[in-house]
Amino acid sequence: MENSCFSFLFVLLVFSSTSSAALADNHEDFIQCLSPSNQTSSNIYTPNNSSFSSVLQKSIQNLRFNTTKTPKPLVIVTPVSEFEVQLVILCAKKTGMHVRVRGGGHDYEGLSYVSEVPLAVVDLINHRKINVNVNDKSAWVEAGSTIGELYYRISEKSKTLGFPAGVCPTVGVGGHFSGGGYGTLLRKYGLSADNIVDARLIDANGRILDRNSMGEDLFWAIRGGGGNTFGLVLAWKVKLVDVPEKVTVFTLNKTLEQNATKLIHKWQYVAPRFPEDLFIRILVNRLNSSDQGGNNKQTLVASFNSIFLGRIDQLLPIMQENFAELGLRREDCIEMSWIESIMYFAGFPGGASPNVLLSRVQLLTRNFKAKSDYVYQPIPEGGLEGIWKLFFEDESQAAQVILSPYGGRMDDISSSSIPFPHRVGNLYKIQYLLYWDEQAEEVADRRHISWIRRLYSYMTPFVSKFPRAAYINYRDLDIGVNNIKGHTSYAQAKVWGIKYFKNNFDRLVHVKTKVDPSNFFRNEQSIPSLT
Ligand SMILES: Cc1cc2nc3c(=O)[nH]c(=O)nc-3n(C[C@H](O)[C@H](O)[C@H](O)COP(=O)(O)OP(=O)(O)OC[C@H]3O[C@@H](n4cnc5c(N)ncnc54)[C@H](O)[C@@H]3O)c2cc1C
Ligand SMILES: *[C@@H]1O[C@H](CO)[C@@H](O)[C@H](O)[C@H]1NC(C)=O
Ligand SMILES: *[C@@H]1O[C@H](CO)[C@@H](O)[C@H](O)[C@H]1NC(C)=O
Ligand SMILES: *[C@@H]1O[C@H](CO)[C@@H](O)[C@H](O)[C@H]1NC(C)=O
Ligand SMILES: *[C@@H]1O[C@H](CO)[C@@H](O)[C@H](O)[C@H]1NC(C)=O
Ligand SMILES: *[C@@H]1O[C@H](CO)[C@@H](O)[C@H](O)[C@H]1NC(C)=O
Ligand SMILES: *[C@@H]1O[C@H](CO)[C@@H](O)[C@H](O)[C@H]1NC(C)=O
Ligand SMILES: *[C@@H]1O[C@H](CO)[C@@H](O)[C@H](O)[C@H]1NC(C)=O
C-alpha cells in the first residue's frame, strides 16, 4: 500500500480552492479534471474509445444488463493506484459527477454500472493485490479482487487455512463483503463480513482512512451495510480461518418420485441443527426425465449439496443419526482438500487446476432475476408442493430455488454485531432464481420477472414477516427504491432498508448522515443521509 498522507496533501493543494457538488452532468469537466495528472488519461474510457464496450461488458454478470437498450455509463475509469482512485473521487465531487464503484460486477440489479441517471464508473479491476500472512492468519485483499483469487492465494500458502465467502469464484470482494457474503463455511465461521478486521476506505471527502482513523461506527457500517454508500473500499483485511487438510463433499439428487418433498421437509428440521462442521444446502431445479415408456415427464430434482469439515468416517454416523432418510452411502462421498471443495461447489470438473479460480469469467452467464426470503418455521409439505406447481409453468423452464441452512455460528453472533441482521431464529434462507435466454428482451423480461413475482407472492404465508426480510447481496429493486433523481426520505428508504437491515437500519442512517451528509455515494438502494 502506498503512503496515503502524501497523496492526500497533494490533492488538497490542487482542490482546496474549488467548490464541490455542481448538479449538472459534467462528464467532460470530470474528464478534464482527471487529466492534469497525466496518470489516469490512459485509463479513461468514453463511448468514443474503441475498447469502451469491452471494458464495460467484461464484468457484466447478468445478461439482462448487456443489451443495446441498457443505459450506459458516460465514462469508465480504471485507476491503477490508490492515488488515482482518490483523484477520481475528488474530481467527481468537484464536478458533480455521479459515480458508481464496480468490483466484480455481480450486483443482481446491475447497480455498479447501470442507472437512469448519468454515471461515471470507477472500476477497480486493476486493484487486485492480495497479501496472505500465514503467521498471523490474515490477508489484505484489494477491493477489485474476486473471492476466487482470494481462495487461490490462500491455498498457495496453506492447505489448512481458508476464508468464509461465496460459492461462485467470480464474485468480487468489493460488493460481496460490503453486503455480508456467505458460502459453505457460514455455519462454522459466519459471513465474510464477520471476519473483516480492518479496511482502507476513501470517504466522501476523498480521505483515505483505516479502521483506526474511520472510527468504529463507520467500520461497523461498511461490514454489511451495502456497497457504494459509506465510501469506496480500497482494501479489506480479513482474518483467515482453520480448515482441515481433508474435507468431505457429496451431492445427492432426489426427484419428486424419490420423495424429494418429504426429504426437503425433514431437512428443514435437521439442517439448521447439525454440528457446525456440516453444511447441506438444497438446490431445486426443474428436470425433464424420461419415464419407462420413453415419454418426457416433468419432475423436479432436489440436489442435497454438502461439505463436511472432516472425514467420511466421521460424517456417516452423523447422517445416520440425524438424517438417515437421505440414504447417504460411503460411495456418495468424496474426500478432498478445502480448495478442491471450492472448485467442486463452483461446478468445475474433478481434477481441474486451481488456476480456474483466477478466471473472472463465469462458467455460464444468462439473463436472470432473483429474490430472497428468510424462514423461521418449517414449511409444510403442502406449501412446498405449491412451489412445484409454479415450477411447471411455461416461464419457469430454468427456475431454481436454493435453500441455505443457518444455525451454528450464525445463531451465536448478535444481530447488531454488524449491519447484517439475519441471525438466531432463522432456519434457512431461500433464494429464488429464474434464468432465461430469449433475445426479445423486453417481452421476455416482463414475462419471466412476472413469474418470479408470483412465486414470491405465493410464498408470503411461509416466510418471515414484519418485516419480510431479504439479503442485500441478492439485491431486488422490487422491494423498494430511492428517488435517484431527487431526495429520498427516511420513510421511503425504510421500506426496503428494514427488510435488508431490520433494527440496524436506523444506526446505518445515523452513520451515513455523519460521514456523507451530501449523499455523494448513492444508488437506487443506498442508505440515505438525513440532511
Ligand atoms: C453468479 C453469482 C453468484 C453469487 N454467489 C453468491 C454467494 O455464494 N454468496 C453470497 O453471499 N452472494 C453471492 N452472490 C451475490 C454477491 O455477493 C453480490 O452480488 C455482491 O454484491 C457482488 O459483489 P461484486 O463486487 O461482484 O459486484 P458489484 O456489482 O461490483 O458491486 C455490488 C455493489 O457493491 C458496490 N461496490 C463494489 N465494490 C465496492 C467497493 N470497493 N467499495 C464500495 N462499494 C463497492 C457496487 O457499487 C454495488 O453497489 C452471487 C452473485 C452472482 C451474480
Ligand atoms: C501532462 O503532460 C503534458 C504533455 O505530455 C505536460 O505538458 C504536462 O505538464 C503534464 N501535466 C502534469 C500535471 O504532469
Ligand atoms: C479514450 O479517448 C480519449 C479521447 O477521446 C483519450 O484521451 C484517451 O486516452 C482514450 N483512452 C483509451 C484507454 O484509449
Ligand atoms: C467524442 O468525440 C467527439 C469528436 O471527436 C467529441 O466531440 C465528443 O465530445 C466526444 N465524446 C465524448 C463522450 O468524449
Ligand atoms: C454482451 O454482449 C456483447 C455483444 O453486444 C457480447 O459480445 C458479449 O459476449 C456479451 N456478454 C456475455 C457475457 O455474453
Ligand atoms: C444432480 O442434479 C443437477 C441438477 O439437475 C445436475 O446438474 C447434476 O448433474 C446431478 N448430479 C448427479 C450426480 O446426478
Ligand atoms: C418414499 O417414502 C416412503 C415412506 O414414506 C417409502 O415407503 C418409499 O420407499 C420411499 N421411496 C423412495 C424412492 O425412497
Ligand atoms: C422439457 O420438455 C419439454 C417438452 O418436451 C420441452 O419443451 C422443454 O424445453 C424441456 N425443458 C428442459 C429444461 O429441458
Side-chain angles (χ1 to χ4, degrees), residues 50-162:
S50 56
S51 41
F52 177 83
S53 294
S54 67
V55 172
L56 174 64
Q57 286 162 10
K58 200 171 180 135
S59 295
I60 293 183
Q61 310 287 349
N62 184 344
L63 293 192
R64 205 146 59 86
F65 307 113
N66 192 37
T67 74
T68 48
K69 294 209 173 95
T70 311
K72 304 290 184 293
L74 296 175
V75 191
I76 304 173
V77 190
T78 58
V80 297
S81 67
E82 291 194 344
F83 170 67
E84 286 184 6
V85 184
Q86 210 173 13
L87 197 62
V88 172
I89 297 307
L90 284 155
C91 285
K93 199 158 183 186
K94 179 184 170 215
T95 59
M97 188 77 218
H98 185 91
V99 292
R100 298 288 170 95
V101 190
R102 187 161 74 166
H106 288 66
D107 191 283
Y108 275 16
E109 301 278 14
L111 297 194
S112 51
Y113 55 94
V114 182
S115 179
E116 286 172 59
V117 294
L119 287 186
V121 170
V122 193
D123 191 317
L124 296 178
I125 184 94
N126 295 320
H127 290 256
R128 282 151 57 194
K129 277 201 282 304
I130 298 177
N131 250 319
V132 174
N133 184 335
V134 288
N135 295 323
D136 73 355
K137 298 188 182 176
S138 73
W140 270 105
V141 190
E142 283 191 321
S145 310
T146 63
I147 56 176
E149 289 169 325
L150 174 59
Y151 295 150
Y152 180 85
R153 296 298 165 206
I154 296 170
S155 77
E156 273 185 323
K157 293 227 172 139
S158 167
K159 303 276 169 262
T160 54
L161 288 174

Side-chain angles (χ1 to χ4, degrees), residues 407-459:
R409 179 90 186 104
M410 290 299 277
D411 286 354
D412 300 336
I413 300 173
S414 142
S415 59
S416 59
S417 146
I418 62 170
F420 178 99
H422 318 290
R423 307 285 185 172
V424 69
N426 287 287
L427 298 177
Y428 59 97
K429 179 179 61 208
I430 308 182
Q431 178 177 204
Y432 316 96
L433 283 148
L434 186 61
Y435 299 93
W436 64 96
D437 300 313
E438 281 90 333
Q439 294 299 307
E441 292 134 15
E442 279 170 65
V443 176
D445 283 8
R446 221 178 301 124
R447 218 161 58 89
H448 288 94
I449 291 173
S450 129
W451 179 86
I452 200 165
R453 287 177 182 161
R454 270 189 290 128
L455 172 59
Y456 191 69
S457 156
Y458 165 77
M459 291 303 291

